[in-house]
Amino acid sequence: MKKVPVEISARHLHISKAHLEKLFGKGYQLKPLKELSQPGEFAASEKIDVIGPKGMLSIRIVGPVRKQTQIELALTDARILGVKPEFRISGDLKDTPGEVTLKGSDGNVKLDSGVIIAKRHLHISKTDAKKWKIKNGQKVSAKVAGPRSIIFLDIIARVGDFTTAIHLDTDEANAAGLLTCSLAELDV
Amino acid sequence: MKKVPVEISARHLHISKAHLEKLFGKGYQLKPLKELSQPGEFAASEKIDVIGPKGMLSIRIVGPVRKQTQIELALTDARILGVKPEFRISGDLKDTPGEVTLKGSDGNVKLDSGVIIAKRHLHISKTDAKKWKIKNGQKVSAKVAGPRSIIFLDIIARVGDFTTAIHLDTDEANAAGLLTCSLAELDV
């Protein structure tokens, strides 16, 4: 049986260097608060007020800086802000809606794209991918047992220098009744 | 193939006659706003401020009045209020937490039980239950296809004078990417 950890991604944002400097000033560096499971990634101390057509949310930055600013929301969050993002894989930002303004201590950034709801995905190490014969981009399923058992279909495998884990957003975790990280049974 | 409608239950509350009168005054009658799919049930015009240890939500009453007051939340809502309800079938309120205060125009009600997260369930008419050989209390599964396909397991069948439909809460609907009501494929 292929048991895989399930991690819950709360809403967060990745920020470009240019946007970070516009928000917090030239040469600004993110302050790492907590290491995340994916190598090199960290939750930053910085949270940003993100203002949409309908509402506002305070959203934490996940570092390090990336090429493009990307806001990852759950559908619940999108409704609060009043935006209509698409289900996308991280980094696939072409023609995604923006419609939000980021407020920093030194300035604001109005986005014109980059708001997504992350498609559920499996980060998988090259070793595990080889062992389980999973190819990059392949769709797999996973069962989460518990008080609200669910089988998540269409989980996109991303093979790379990753720690093997399924990433769900908060809506998906709540639907499965997961209060903290858990294990799922992978079906390839 | 057994296709069944999926309906999304947003947070709502059922109210007892005694509590209704405490909130709005003696002899008060709920004002029906919209008929719901289950025979006799309606969304009332009345919304109540429900105050928990951490936050507040405005929650609509679903009529008619019931024997016991019952608040049905999604896990997301429970976090906002700061309460820890259990997954229960509607009406199964023994030893459920209260921890909330309802604010009406005429008075307040402090609950000591009745806050639940509804277990996903299938309302099923006696005719359909007979046709599909589904017994009251039996667990069934259902697949929701779409951009975020999911198989919901452990759906509890409730056979009765119902319109046949699966009821999911907003977290579950969001996890499946359902923006409005939809169809699921039942697996018995």
Side-chain angles (χ1 to χ4, degrees):
Chain A
M1 216 189 290
K2 303 175 189 75
K3 289 271 186 190
V4 171
V6 178
E7 295 176 350
I8 306 167
S9 294
R11 61 177 178 257
H12 63 276
L13 65 87
H14 302 283
I15 194 102
S16 70
K17 189 166 181 290
H19 284 166
L20 183 67
E21 294 196 335
K22 217 165 165 189
L23 292 169
F24 291 107
K26 206 163 166 52
Y28 190 87
Q29 298 282 332
L30 288 171
K31 297 179 187 65
L33 178 72
K34 194 183 145 202
E35 246 182 63
L36 297 177
S37 70
Q38 293 311 321
E41 297 227 318
F42 59 87
S45 302
E46 290 82 359
K47 291 181 91 173
I48 304 270
D49 283 349
V50 176
I51 299 148
K54 215 181 116 193
M56 195 265 277
L57 285 170
S58 172
I59 304 186
R60 188 172 302 283
I61 297 178
V62 167
V65 291
R66 287 197 182 179
K67 270 189 197 158
Q68 289 177 287
T69 294
Q70 170 176 310
I71 303 185
E72 294 182 42
L73 302 176
L75 207 43
T76 302
D77 305 320
R79 291 222 180 82
I80 293 170
L81 290 182
V83 297
K84 287 189 175 160
E86 291 174 26
F87 300 106
R88 294 288 184 98
I89 272 293
S90 182
D92 173 20
L93 301 183
K94 195 166 177 277
D95 299 328
T96 51
E99 312 164 61
V100 297
T101 299
L102 316 185
K103 278 188 81 167
S105 55
D106 229 58
N108 297 345
V109 170
K110 205 177 162 333
L111 293 186
D112 45 24
S113 70
V115 183
I116 66 167
I117 296 175
K119 280 191 182 177
R120 59 181 79 117
H121 52 279
L122 165 71
H123 288 280
I124 183 164
S125 69
K126 290 171 184 165
T127 313
D128 286 343
K130 201 173 168 187
K131 185 173 69 184
W132 293 339
K133 298 195 175 78
I134 294 175
K135 292 201 169 61
N136 191 46
Q138 184 178 333
K139 286 180 179 175
V140 299
S141 303
K143 179 177 173 177
V144 179
R148 307 184 108 185
S149 303
I150 274 186
I151 299 172
F152 291 103
L153 310 173
D154 297 341
I155 301 171
I156 297 165
R158 305 179 61 193
V159 181
D161 294 324
F162 295 128
T163 304
T164 299
I166 292 169
H167 279 198
L168 300 178
D169 72 16
T170 42
D171 287 337
E172 293 171 320
N174 287 340
L178 295 179
L179 301 178
T180 56
C181 297
S182 180
L183 284 173
E185 194 181 307
L186 207 65
D187 189 17
V188 179
Chain B
M1 217 189 290
K2 303 175 190 75
K3 289 269 186 191
V4 171
V6 177
E7 295 175 352
I8 306 167
S9 294
R11 60 175 179 257
H12 63 276
L13 66 86
H14 303 283
I15 195 103
S16 69
K17 190 166 178 291
H19 284 166
L20 183 67
E21 294 196 335
K22 216 165 165 189
L23 292 169
F24 291 107
K26 205 159 168 53
Y28 190 87
Q29 298 281 333
L30 288 171
K31 296 180 187 64
L33 178 72
K34 194 185 147 201
E35 246 182 63
L36 298 177
S37 70
Q38 293 311 320
E41 298 227 317
F42 59 87
S45 302
E46 291 81 359
K47 291 181 91 173
I48 304 269
D49 283 350
V50 176
I51 298 148
K54 215 180 117 191
M56 195 264 278
L57 286 169
S58 173
I59 304 186
R60 188 172 302 283
I61 297 178
V62 167
V65 292
R66 287 198 182 178
K67 270 190 196 159
Q68 289 178 288
T69 295
Q70 170 176 310
I71 303 184
E72 294 182 42
L73 302 176
L75 207 43
T76 301
D77 304 321
R79 290 221 181 83
I80 294 169
L81 291 182
V83 297
K84 287 190 173 157
E86 290 175 27
F87 300 106
R88 294 286 184 100
I89 272 293
S90 182
D92 173 19
L93 301 183
K94 194 165 177 277
D95 299 329
T96 51
E99 314 165 60
V100 297
T101 299
L102 316 185
K103 278 188 82 166
S105 54
D106 230 58
N108 298 344
V109 170
K110 205 178 161 329
L111 293 187
D112 45 24
S113 70
V115 184
I116 65 168
I117 296 174
K119 279 191 183 176
R120 57 180 81 116
H121 53 280
L122 165 70
H123 288 281
I124 183 163
S125 69
K126 290 171 185 166
T127 312
D128 287 343
K130 202 173 165 187
K131 187 173 69 186
W132 294 339
K133 299 194 175 79
I134 293 175
K135 291 201 169 61
N136 191 47
Q138 184 179 333
K139 287 181 179 176
V140 300
S141 302
K143 179 177 174 178
V144 179
R148 304 184 110 184
S149 302
I150 274 186
I151 299 173
F152 291 103
L153 309 174
D154 298 339
I155 302 171
I156 296 164
R158 304 179 60 192
V159 181
D161 294 325
F162 295 128
T163 305
T164 299
I166 291 169
H167 279 198
L168 300 178
D169 72 16
T170 41
D171 288 336
E172 293 171 320
N174 286 339
L178 295 179
L179 301 179
T180 57
C181 298
S182 179
L183 284 174
E185 194 181 305
L186 206 64
D187 189 16
V188 179

